[in-house]
Amino acid sequence: MSSKFSKIGFVLAVAGSAVGLGNAWKFPTLVGQNGGSAFVLLYLLLTLGVAFVIFLAELSIGKLSEKDPVNGYKTLAPSNKNAWSMAGFTMLAAILIVSFYSLVIGWIIKYMYFSISGNLSLTLEESKKQFDTLLLNDFTSQFICFTLVFFIVFYVVSKGVKNGIEKLNVWMMPTLFILLVLMLLYALSRGGGFMDAMQFLFVPDFSKITGNSVLEALALAFFSLSLGVGTIITYSASLPDKTNFITSTLNIILINILIGLMMGLIVFTFIFEFGANPNQAGPGLIFISLTTLFAKLGVIGHILGAAFFLSLIFAGITSAISMIEPFAFYLINTYKMSRKNALILIGIIVYILGNLCILSTLSATEFKIFEMSFFDVLDKLTSKIIMPLGGILAAIFVGFVMKKRALEILFQPYMSGIFFKIWYFFLRFISPLAVIVIVINAFR
Ligand code: TRP
């Protein structure tokens, strides 16, 4: 067994994994599209009722086996060991995710450069053109920025759980938090826009909730807590003994929600302050609307922009490393590979996939599969199919296959009997059903 996290190291590493582009980009975008605060409320409800429940299931697999996802399922399954070990291979989806996720971090690096060099566009049209130029025509920038992210991420993972992942998170997470607080204070000083943003995020309007928003909220809760692809299993394998993991988990969830809300308040303050459209879809909100607003604020705006993009880079990198570690840990455990060799192998795969993603955004190459860009194929395949599947499998495995006694022993010091019963009931009957509903909806 490799060395374990310290107690705070575990919380920060998992929070680092959870807090990422999902909070900064998906969260405000979806809140905007689904009419604001009622969606936030739903998201909170589903985070506690479904994601939290499955999170504890994945944590149990990791903690009780102290292994990577594949060997974890194998060790804990009382029978059909090889069949159950297949469930662990959902971790390969994390390798697909990191390939396009690192590219998005690469775009953010480019935007940080635009901010520092005073090159953000002043109007929405120009801003859109700038973004399109980067994606459609600029192979060189995308290639350089992706390659940079690639090396940083693999360098950190090469140092291992304690010396790489923990050390990075211990300074990056607090720095991210401080940057956000500073930006929030600035947003607060913008009076009117801030009040509108508060109203938008915190006064619920239930008329905006549709069946689809419920499912969007559930999918977001899943992605945002890094569930379904072995990350939580893997980090929990290094969970130090005698840690109150229930409080840790609640802290992680709280941090994740708090940072999402802070990002939301910052983004929407600017949006309302300058009358941009909160319903703008996709990456438009961060890369197009928000940057225009930074540009309008002149020098201060460019500094704020640089700070904002820097915080996104931090949040993204701590998430990206958590996508590589499961597969690396598996290769090390199963084939007795050195960490270095395991990472070279994974690195080659990620580097090829990442470059294919770049090619798929360029108008000259437009690498497509099934009419979708390769980038979108990876995104949809992982978030709509593999992640929910991974979550359902973890819930069924822990709820129906693993011995209940082992779970009771694990939870008993930190959770009263009645809470255990409630959790176990949700795990078996409520959470997997909820997830099945998401998947069915995605394919209707
Ligand atoms: N939770 C991260 C975010 O919100 C993304 C992430 C990190 C992730 N690790 C993951 C998503 C594993 C799915 C699976 O940006």
Side-chain angles (χ1 to χ4, degrees):
M1 178 61 220
S2 63
S3 56
K4 295 189 173 172
F5 287 115
S6 68
K7 275 180 200 172
I8 185 70
F10 174 77
V11 173
L12 288 175
V14 180
S17 167
V19 174
L21 304 183
N23 304 59
W25 163 32
K26 283 196 182 211
F27 182 77
T29 309
L30 286 171
V31 172
Q33 284 170 354
N34 294 285
S37 54
F39 181 82
V40 176
L41 216 63
L42 247 177
Y43 167 76
L44 296 183
L45 216 73
L46 291 169
T47 295
L48 290 178
V50 180
F52 175 54
V53 172
I54 293 185
F55 188 106
L56 287 181
E58 293 200 10
L59 185 142
S60 312
I61 298 175
K63 179 65 196 155
L64 289 174
S65 69
E66 302 205 334
K67 296 221 166 74
D68 60 89
V70 173
N71 291 300
Y73 273 104
K74 199 179 214 159
T75 311
L76 297 176
S79 56
N80 297 323
K81 284 182 180 288
N82 284 329
W84 272 112
S85 73
M86 286 303 174
F89 280 105
T90 47
M91 71 184 173
L92 290 176
I95 300 298
L96 304 182
I97 299 176
V98 78
S99 308
F100 68 83
Y101 200 89
S102 304
L103 177 57
V104 179
I105 305 175
W107 299 341
I108 296 172
I109 290 188
K110 181 76 190 181
Y111 268 81
M112 185 163 151
Y113 171 77
F114 285 147
S115 310
I116 293 173
S117 59
N119 273 323
L120 297 173
S121 310
L122 268 167
T123 64
L124 277 178
E125 294 86 73
E126 277 173 39
S127 188
K128 183 163 180 349
K129 227 162 99 211
Q130 189 175 27
F131 187 56
D132 284 347
T133 308
L134 174 65
L135 262 63
L136 298 174
N137 301 323
D138 194 349
F139 175 78
T140 318
S141 296
Q142 292 198 72
F143 179 77
I144 293 174
C145 294
F146 168 74
T147 304
L148 188 67
V149 174
F150 174 85
F151 279 109
I152 296 174
V153 166
F154 275 82
Y155 175 76
V156 176
V157 182
S158 76
K159 296 283 167 197
V161 162
K162 182 130 185 105
N163 291 322
I165 299 175
E166 171 162 334
K167 265 206 183 120
L168 181 88
N169 278 294
V170 160
W171 70 265
M172 249 189 201
M173 289 303 290
T175 314
L176 164 71
F177 194 76
I178 292 169
L179 280 174
L180 287 179
V181 169
L182 290 177
M183 291 181 55
L184 199 60
L185 287 177
Y186 183 80
L188 194 63
S189 75
R190 310 295 307 177
F194 184 78
M195 290 322 289
D196 289 345
M198 287 288 280
Q199 167 125 14
F200 184 64
L201 286 175
F202 296 116
V203 182
D205 172 5
F206 287 99
S207 67
K208 297 270 171 55
I209 294 293
T210 61
N212 190 48
S213 6
V214 180
L215 299 163
E216 296 265 31
L218 191 54
L220 177 67
F222 239 70
F223 184 87
S224 193
L225 282 173
S226 311
L227 292 175
V229 297
T231 288
I232 303 306
I233 297 180
T234 304
Y235 276 10
S236 306
S238 299
L239 174 70
D241 295 324
K242 304 211 176 65
T243 306
N244 185 340
F245 57 84
I246 306 286
T247 353
S248 301
T249 304
L250 287 171
N251 282 334
I252 290 160
I253 290 181
L254 214 70
I255 296 172
N256 192 37
I257 292 171
L258 188 71
I259 294 197
L261 289 176
M262 285 167 78
M263 291 271 187
L265 275 176
I266 293 166
V267 172
F268 286 114
T269 298
F270 287 113
I271 301 283
F272 285 121
E273 187 75 16
F274 294 95
N277 179 8
N279 300 321
Q280 168 120 43
L285 201 62
I286 300 280
F287 289 111
I288 301 173
S289 307
L290 200 58
T291 47
T292 320
L293 307 173
F294 286 141
K296 285 197 179 125
L297 291 174
V299 177
I300 294 205
H302 282 82
I303 295 173
L304 275 173
F308 182 71
F309 289 121
L310 185 66
S311 55
L312 287 197
I313 294 168
F314 284 3
I317 285 179
T318 53
S319 296
I321 55 181
S322 77
M323 300 174 193
I324 298 174
E325 180 63 19
F327 191 36
F329 193 32
Y330 164 76
L331 292 175
I332 295 167
N333 277 340
T334 311
Y335 301 103
K336 308 284 167 261
M337 272 189 196
S338 66
R339 182 165 275 272
K340 185 169 150 223
N341 287 343
L343 289 176
I344 290 175
L345 182 72
I346 300 173
I348 293 172
I349 302 171
V350 171
Y351 203 63
I352 294 175
L353 291 175
N355 276 292
L356 289 178
C357 286
I358 300 179
L359 292 182
S360 82
T361 69
L362 297 173
S363 60
T365 40
E366 273 200 11
F367 175 37
K368 284 197 162 120
I369 302 180
F370 310 124
E371 301 289 296
M372 260 198 284
S373 76
F374 185 64
F375 185 113
D376 286 342
V377 171
L378 293 188
D379 185 10
K380 301 277 173 327
L381 176 71
T382 49
S383 68
K384 293 208 162 150
I385 303 176
I386 308 179
M387 288 176 49
L389 181 70
I392 295 172
L393 289 173
I396 294 178
F397 183 76
V398 178
F400 293 97
V401 179
M402 260 171 73
K403 294 197 185 69
K404 189 176 176 192
R405 189 74 204 118
L407 294 169
E408 281 171 340
I409 295 170
L410 178 67
F411 280 75
Q412 188 237 339
Y414 313 112
M415 202 187 227
S416 71
I418 177 80
F419 276 109
F420 181 84
K421 283 203 176 82
I422 296 174
W423 170 73
Y424 201 63
F425 177 78
F426 266 71
L427 181 68
R428 300 179 102 186
F429 304 110
I430 310 283
S431 312
L433 261 180
V435 180
I436 286 168
V437 174
I438 308 184
V439 180
I440 290 175
N441 179 72
F443 290 98
R444 275 193 310 175

